[in-house]
């Protein structure tokens, strides 16, 4: 059943989709949406059917932890809650402005199961009333059901930097490390909330919950980059010989750790794919391997790039990676080698070459080498071109500047306008020094 009031559906609906939509809108953080949800919750508790209360409770239980913190922030001041006792009444009472009401709600929540009750107790561990805070903390510490632990951890992680809640998460971590909570820790390590999952993975690693096979799979295929890196780090601590396997990981952080764990005598030719890696951190780590044994990375880049250019079937990704790496560690003498790639048919190669030329070429070579690419069909190439030309604004031809100002990409247009402004500023300075007025 739905009633309309001022363009909004009221809380008498039992439709779970409506509650999910209200919760999603409030979770965005707009105060009016949060207050609207609070109004609906109070109304359904007072006059709504049991089905509507159940739908509201389910939506709150599935809502992100951020929403619960927003409800806690905007609930006061508010009217006293009335309605039948139960988890929803206890949750709303725990947000009340009166300390006695919150205290009674915490005592009720202590005997109430479910993730929403655990999350509400976690909220009250930051309460400004000492009695409420202590009772909520004591009740929370005995929770061991996986869904309740996960709900509490999601809230505690987001209150970690609050003064009153400081240190509580560390204490809860100690409790979770005990045997009765091992099942909850394993569930946390697979939680859908990224911060809670990372917390769970880190704790599970400390407790030795993973065997090497699990660590390798997580390092290679886990969907979260922080979890991948945590598992890779532990795997390499246990078995540095796994570094070669981790070089194929999709996560750049894992590949960086794997490169750092390679033996110092690994042949330079085996480092070539890593020197040309798409991630800057991996390229830097591969260069550091060469630095440590006295091999100049720039020379390795030059040799390998010349080989790749001569090879008819060289992969564009390899060419682009080597050009990018040489642009990062080369010198002005490498600009000519990179300039030979500016006419490549492959966009990533042209982009990498333009970036390297813009960084390394002498100032008197920038316009001749880069200006012809001002009208390149790829926005990334054009952006690198105008980044390089911004080093010599006074030398940029008007027609090149006009091309930049009329391109459709905002970033390129901004660079061109900046070059034009600096060019005009330099011209004004020259006139001021000569004592002449510009015409």
């Amino acid at each position: 059943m739905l009633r309309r009031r001022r363009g909004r559906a009221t809380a008498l609906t039992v439709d779970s989709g409506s509650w999910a939509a209200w919760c999603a809108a409030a979770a965005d953080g707009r105060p009016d949406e949060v207050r609207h949800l609070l109004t609906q919750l109070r109304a359904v508790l007072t006059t709504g059917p049991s089905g509507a209360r159940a739908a509201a409770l389910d939506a709150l239980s599935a809502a992100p932890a951020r929403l619960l913190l927003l409800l806690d922030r905007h609930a006061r001041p508010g009217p006293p809650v009335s309605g039948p006792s139960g988890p929803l009444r206890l949750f709303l009472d725990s947000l009340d402005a009166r300390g006695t009401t919150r205290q009674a709600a915490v005592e009720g929540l202590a005997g109430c199961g479910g993730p929403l009750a655990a999350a509400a107790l976690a909220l009250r561990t930051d309460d400004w009333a000492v009695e409420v805070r202590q009772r909520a903390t004591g009740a929370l510490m005995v929770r061991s059901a996986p869904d309740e632990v996960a709900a509490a951890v999601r809230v505690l992680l987001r209150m970690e930097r609050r003064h009153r809640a400081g240190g509580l998460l560390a204490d809860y971590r100690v409790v979770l490390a005990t045997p009765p909570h091992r099942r909850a820790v394993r569930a946390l390590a697979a939680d859908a909330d990224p911060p809670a999952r990372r917390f769970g993975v880190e704790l599970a690693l400390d407790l030795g919950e993973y065997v090497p096979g699990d660590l390798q799979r997580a390092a290679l295929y886990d969907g979260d980059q922080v979890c991948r890196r945590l598992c890779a780090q532990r795997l390499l601590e246990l078995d540095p010989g796994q570094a070669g396997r981790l070089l194929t990981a999709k996560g750049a952080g894992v590949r960086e750790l794997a490169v750092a764990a390679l033996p110092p005598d690994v042949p330079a030719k085996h480092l070539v794919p890593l020197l040309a890696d798409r991630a800057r951190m991996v390229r830097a780590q591969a260069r550091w391997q060469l630095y440590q044994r006295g091999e100049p990375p720039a020379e390795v880049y030059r040799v390998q790039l010349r080989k790749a250019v001569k090879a008819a079937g060289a992969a564009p990704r390899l060419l682009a990676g080597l050009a990018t790496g040489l642009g990062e560690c080369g010198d002005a003498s490498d600009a000519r080698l990179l300039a030979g790639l500016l006419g490549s048919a492959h966009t990533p190669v042209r982009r990498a070459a333009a970036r390297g030329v813009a960084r390394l070429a002498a100032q008197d070579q920038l316009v001749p080498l880069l200006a012809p690419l001002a009208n390149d069909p790829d926005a990334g190439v054009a952006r690198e071109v105008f980044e390089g030309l911004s080093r010599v604004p006074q030398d940029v031809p008007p027609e090149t500047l006009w091309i930049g100002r009329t391109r459709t990409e905002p970033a390129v247009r901004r660079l061109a306008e900046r070059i034009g402004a600096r060019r005009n500023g330099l011209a004004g300075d020259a006139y001021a020094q000569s004592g002449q007025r510009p015409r």
Side-chain angles (χ1 to χ4, degrees), residues 55-75:
L57 194 64
D58 290 343
L60 285 176
S61 299
R66 168 180 166 79
L67 174 62
L68 303 184
L69 272 72
L70 289 168
L71 291 173
D72 187 40
R73 181 190 306 169
H74 293 282

Side-chain angles (χ1 to χ4, degrees), residues 304-327:
Q304 296 299 327
L305 187 55
R306 289 190 182 101
K307 285 183 180 179
V309 169
K310 290 180 181 178
R317 176 177 290 183
L318 177 64
L319 277 172
L322 291 172
T324 299
L326 182 57

